[in-house]
Amino acid sequence: MTDFAATKALFHLPDGMIYLDGNSLGPLPKTTAARVAQTVTDEWGEMVITGWNRAGWMAQPSALGDRIGRLIGAEPGHVVLGDTLSIKVYQALAAALDLVPDRKVIVTDSGNFPSDIYMAEGLIKSLGRGHELRVVAPEEVADHIDSDLAVLMLTQVDYRTGRLHDMAALTQAAHAAGAVTVWDLAHTAGAMAVDVAGCHADFAVGCTYKYLNGGPGAPAFIYVAPRHVDSCQPALSGWLGHAAPFAFDLDYRPGAGIERMRVGTPPVLQMAALDAAMDIWDTVDMAALRRASIALTERFIAGVEAACPVLTLASPRDPARRGSQVSFRFADGYAAMQACIARGVVGDFRAPDIMRFGFTPLFIDAGDVDRAVAVIADVMQNRLWDDPAHQQRAAVT
């Protein structure tokens, strides 16, 4: 069992704040600043370029990949870190399409993060091979898995509502139809146990700045199943994905295994921050995390619905069908969320009307939930969102 009281003490949480937005940007682990400072002064400062070898910078993408791999149920040696999530989506989708060259249909759902859809649209245009992207309702995905399907590309947890796709069932259906799967774990990794190997996922991608607490701009990761990893072709044939980067060959040769999915120079300072966060995650039992998450979200839903009948639950009521977030619909949701934030309860807003709250047992407990419910009830019952100061939209919502 994980001691969540102990893990809470490992995070810096501003005084008076109840932070329910770790599903968008995780809070700061207390050891991160010193770890990054050490990398800056002792490694970059004293070792300069020799840090690539002496401090192990070049090996960090794979080493951190394996630590993330434990959280998502990946086989060792099949996750690598680097670049952004959009880049990793592009890589995974391009490689997946190459595995089924005679098919042209990509299916995703309208709950997918728009950036994933944008990357798919851009890839289709650049390939110019007649691929078609079909965007369907989340509940209709299974109905669109047929003999025309090339790739099923889904985000496992809907970023708006927290709706959870059944990875095992949908992957099995896709494989039975002769298709390949790409799973985005941006709202899953660190939120709940995942089993990409057990579900036979082909590709998976995800970010590390949300539940994994890697910090703003933290690098993304990509998983490739063992059956594909030595044959998939990287669409982005970057220097560090080469079989021998320092041979400086003029022709590209893909590296062995997951190393071929590397593209650019590893972000050393961001990896140092993530390394500090992973020291916490290395101690976490994911089954215990999921149980605690469900208890917190159930408590929150019950409290908000009892005190705020004007809010409509947007998340699935069955905890087995949602991730570690709870969303409510409200016409003035943006202003209401700003009123909550002004009173120390930090969630976020997703257009057009969703107030979104994330729950991470590593630093949120039942007392936090009860205090958050009390603040939300005050905001809603007393129409505190009517304050003009809460109506002005900021660049980031």
Side-chain angles (χ1 to χ4, degrees):
M1 289 293 293
T2 302
D3 183 349
F4 293 114
T7 61
K8 184 172 184 175
L10 301 177
F11 289 90
H12 172 76
L13 299 166
D15 290 342
M17 179 183 291
I18 301 170
Y19 192 69
L20 302 182
D21 211 11
N23 56 319
S24 193
L25 177 66
L28 176 71
K30 290 179 178 177
T31 59
T32 297
R35 185 71 55 84
V36 173
Q38 176 186 353
T39 301
V40 171
T41 57
D42 297 349
E43 296 178 14
W44 180 16
E46 297 301 320
M47 300 179 191
V48 201
I49 200 168
T50 67
W52 287 109
N53 292 319
R54 292 170 61 195
W57 294 344
M58 194 61 77
Q60 276 287 71
S62 296
L64 285 167
D66 274 344
R67 295 166 78 183
I68 293 169
R70 182 188 74 84
L71 306 181
I72 66 171
E75 302 90 341
H78 288 273
V79 178
V80 73
L81 196 77
D83 315 297
T84 68
L85 180 52
S86 293
I87 294 296
K88 293 309 178 195
V89 169
Y90 191 98
Q91 283 186 286
L93 181 57
L97 288 172
D98 281 345
L99 295 176
V100 278
D102 296 330
R103 297 189 181 192
K104 304 299 181 185
V105 175
I106 304 164
V107 168
T108 191
D109 71 80
S110 55
N112 202 351
F113 197 70
S115 179
D116 290 19
I117 295 174
Y118 304 158
M119 296 308 290
E121 291 173 337
L123 176 61
I124 288 170
K125 289 178 182 177
S126 65
L127 290 175
R129 302 202 312 242
H131 289 98
E132 173 193 352
L133 179 65
R134 295 179 184 172
V135 183
V136 305
E139 61 273 11
E140 296 175 0
V141 166
D143 298 333
H144 291 266
I145 297 176
D146 55 30
S147 59
D148 293 328
L149 180 65
V151 177
L152 181 64
M153 181 185 77
L154 298 171
T155 296
Q156 189 181 16
V157 172
D158 189 315
Y159 77 100
R160 308 160 306 163
T161 66
R163 184 188 190 277
L164 174 66
H165 278 302
D166 187 331
M167 179 186 288
L170 290 174
T171 299
Q172 182 179 17
H175 288 171
V180 179
T181 60
V182 174
W183 288 95
D184 185 335
L185 307 180
H187 289 271
T188 317
M192 56 185 291
V194 189
D195 188 8
V196 292
C199 291
H200 304 291
D202 297 290
F203 299 87
V205 298
C207 57
T208 63
Y209 52 80
K210 298 181 188 293
Y211 291 98
L212 296 181
N213 308 98
F221 64 84
I222 186 168
Y223 162 82
V224 183
R227 60 189 175 277
H228 302 311
V229 75
D230 289 316
S231 60
C232 67
Q233 296 301 310
L236 300 173
S237 46
W239 176 41
L240 291 182
H242 193 282
F246 288 89
F248 299 107
D249 292 341
L250 296 183
D251 297 318
Y252 180 80
R253 291 181 290 116
I258 195 64
E259 293 294 306
R260 67 182 55 199
M261 304 310 281
R262 294 174 67 161
V263 182
T265 303
V268 172
L269 301 184
Q270 288 287 174
M271 290 192 304
L274 179 60
D275 182 64
M278 292 308 299
D279 286 346
I280 301 174
W281 281 103
D282 288 344
T283 70
V284 175
D285 179 276
M286 297 306 291
L289 180 91
R290 179 60 169 163
R291 289 192 295 271
S293 166
I294 289 174
L296 293 173
T297 55
E298 289 285 89
R299 188 183 189 99
F300 182 74
I301 290 171
V304 171
E305 288 193 322
C308 310
V310 69
L311 298 181
T312 302
L313 183 66
S315 300
R317 190 166 297 279
D318 180 357
R321 295 183 57 245
R322 67 172 183 263
S324 197
Q325 71 181 61
V326 175
S327 298
F328 285 94
R329 296 189 185 276
F330 181 58
D332 291 297
Y334 177 81
M337 183 58 76
Q338 300 315 300
C340 290
I341 292 171
R343 287 154 184 81
V345 174
V346 178
D348 60 21
F349 173 79
R350 291 295 177 261
D353 61 354
I354 287 181
M355 300 173 67
R356 192 175 70 157
F357 304 90
F359 293 85
T360 304
L362 267 62
F363 55 83
I364 295 296
D365 57 31
D368 295 324
V369 169
D370 293 344
R371 288 187 290 274
V373 168
V375 169
I376 296 167
D378 182 40
V379 167
M380 302 311 300
Q381 292 170 8
N382 294 298
R383 298 181 60 90
L384 301 183
W385 73 86
D386 274 340
D387 186 331
H390 299 321
Q391 306 289 330
Q392 299 298 316
R393 294 287 179 105
V396 178
T397 64

